[in-house]
Amino acid sequence: MSVAARFAEVYRREPAGVWAAPGRVNLIGEHTDYNDGFVLPLALDRRTLVAAELARGATTVHSSREADPVTFAAATVAPGEVTGWAAYVAGVVWAFREAGLPVADLDLFVQGDVPVGAGLSSSASLECAVAVALCELTGTGLDLTEVAHLARRAENEFVGAPTGGMDQMAAMHGVADRLVFLDTRDDHVELIPFALATHGLRLLVIDTRAPHQLVDGQYGARRADCAEAAELLGVPALRDATAAQVDTLADERLRRRARHVVTEDDRVLEVVDRLRGDGDPRAIGPLLSASHASMRDDFEITVPHVDVAAAVAEEAGAHGARMTGGGFGGCVIALVDAATGDRVGDAVAAAYAERGWDPPVVFDAVAADGAGRA
């Protein structure tokens, strides 16, 4: 049943419209966004859909994934009042209100196919879909970056997840067959060609079924390490540090954390350079693999499920493979030839079966358009 039909079934009237925002896959550039660095995501062709209409009372949110609705008042909702999945909705309304923008109570029905807990930014997808709906229903004119900033504020300050701004920027700025090259210091966006089919390639997403959680101590600890390393080096952010400077850090843990960020920024820039002008994406494979090694060894955010998936994918013929997302579970991406890509997924599934793990879910990532009317 469509989200509009589900809305009508619940609220006994038609929605004003349906809005959508994509999940994202980060091709490369992990944990660089909150270090003022560079990231290179794509907007995924899996989306969160929100059917919405102005409410006759308080805001009510139904979800196809949840048994019970959640209600709150747009004029008064505050951090801590709404928790769980609906906090991402309430947080957007709160962020608009805190910014002095018009808010209104809405009736909402949410459904979508962005996997939850897989590191594909289902949260930013929900936030951005609600944000574009709220903009249109209240007549608020904002540009793509302004909407992304409000959605990020919802996640950081209302939900309490200390993430950078990459996810929301990818959800808002995505374009089909393009990567979103983002300088997180000034939010400059450049769209980079990524039409894999024309090169006989696919980008597999291997959902390892090892769910990740960002609202915990590990993500915050990595962020704190990076801030401490930047302070010790006397730079505004690790984006400004050099490899030689990083080598002078006496604390081994901080040195490894900083080394990941500095080398990851360099890898992002190299990938962009190789892809500009519609270059052959096969050339970026080794950089993807180097990124995974850095996340595993220096940043220490991988887990056995993702390490096995990345290694087996390469052994089965992938040009490169890496974990994508904040870490501690989630997904691996693998750049594969279109004709032989299925055997990569099969090889990972076999490796999981040998270890007694739940089978992974494998699908193609296709760069899609960003948030807007569905």
Side-chain angles (χ1 to χ4, degrees):
M1 187 182 295
S2 72
V3 67
R6 297 290 295 272
F7 181 100
E9 183 179 63
V10 168
Y11 294 106
R12 303 299 180 187
R13 59 194 178 112
E14 297 298 317
V18 176
W19 291 264
R24 68 96 187 91
V25 165
N26 191 23
L27 186 71
I28 196 167
E30 226 63 76
H31 289 264
T32 51
D33 56 351
Y34 57 77
N35 288 293
D36 281 2
F38 305 99
V39 294
L40 192 62
L42 59 91
L44 191 60
D45 61 336
R46 294 189 171 216
R47 306 180 298 167
T48 298
L49 299 168
V50 174
E53 176 59 286
L54 294 172
R56 295 163 181 163
T59 293
T60 303
V61 191
H62 285 262
S63 169
S64 61
R65 289 174 168 158
E66 303 293 335
D68 299 317
V70 174
T71 62
F72 61 86
T76 60
V77 68
E81 181 181 333
V82 180
T83 58
W85 66 273
Y88 297 99
V89 178
V92 169
V93 176
W94 171 85
F96 271 65
R97 196 185 74 222
E98 288 292 297
L101 298 169
V103 296
D105 281 300
L106 305 176
D107 289 330
L108 302 159
F109 197 100
V110 177
Q111 71 180 37
D113 59 357
V114 183
V116 175
L120 301 179
S121 200
S122 58
S123 58
S125 175
L126 175 57
E127 291 157 359
C128 290
V130 172
V132 293
L134 184 61
C135 278
E136 190 165 338
L137 290 172
T138 59
T140 303
L142 298 174
D143 65 29
L144 299 178
T145 296
E146 288 171 331
V147 175
H149 286 172
L150 289 168
R152 177 188 176 182
R153 186 176 182 187
E155 184 144 345
N156 290 170
E157 299 181 33
F158 194 97
V159 178
T163 56
M166 170 184 63
D167 298 349
Q168 293 83 5
M169 288 291 283
M172 294 306 303
H173 284 276
V175 173
D177 291 333
R178 295 290 187 273
L179 298 166
V180 180
F181 175 38
L182 172 65
D183 182 338
T184 65
R185 171 158 284 168
D186 60 11
D187 282 336
H188 175 72
V189 169
E190 179 185 351
L191 298 174
I192 304 297
F194 200 59
L196 292 182
T198 63
H199 295 277
L201 292 168
R202 297 158 59 191
L203 186 67
L204 296 186
V205 176
I206 304 167
D207 183 352
T208 67
R209 311 290 294 280
H212 84 162
Q213 297 288 335
L214 294 186
V215 189
D216 63 13
Q218 294 291 344
Y219 188 98
R222 296 306 184 279
R223 189 162 184 164
D225 282 348
C226 291
E228 184 178 355
E231 183 177 1
L232 289 170
L233 292 173
V235 294
L238 286 180
R239 178 247 184 82
D240 303 295
T242 65
Q245 287 176 306
V246 167
D247 286 342
T248 68
L249 287 169
D251 185 289
E252 182 188 357
R253 187 188 75 251
L254 295 182
R255 187 167 64 249
R256 287 188 286 111
R257 302 294 188 256
R259 183 168 59 211
H260 165 73
V261 174
V262 170
T263 59
E264 187 80 343
D265 271 335
D266 288 344
R267 284 185 288 269
V268 174
L269 296 176
E270 181 64 22
V271 168
V272 169
D273 186 60
R274 294 185 187 189
L275 292 177
R276 278 196 181 110
D278 209 24
D280 188 345
R282 290 173 179 81
I284 72 172
L287 293 164
L288 302 183
S289 300
S291 173
H292 184 86
S294 181
M295 290 187 288
R296 181 191 65 217
D297 301 335
D298 281 343
F299 223 61
E300 296 182 290
I301 55 173
T302 68
V303 295
H305 281 68
V306 299
D307 289 333
V308 168
V312 171
E314 291 185 4
E315 291 166 5
H319 296 285
R322 67 181 289 273
M323 186 190 71
T324 186
F328 311 105
C331 291
V332 166
I333 55 173
L335 185 65
V336 301
D337 290 321
T340 59
D342 288 347
R343 76 183 184 197
V344 172
D346 292 343
V348 175
Y352 274 37
E354 290 174 3
R355 290 164 173 80
W357 296 346
D358 290 339
V361 176
V362 182
F363 60 91
D364 283 30
V366 179
D369 289 333
R373 275 254 186 181

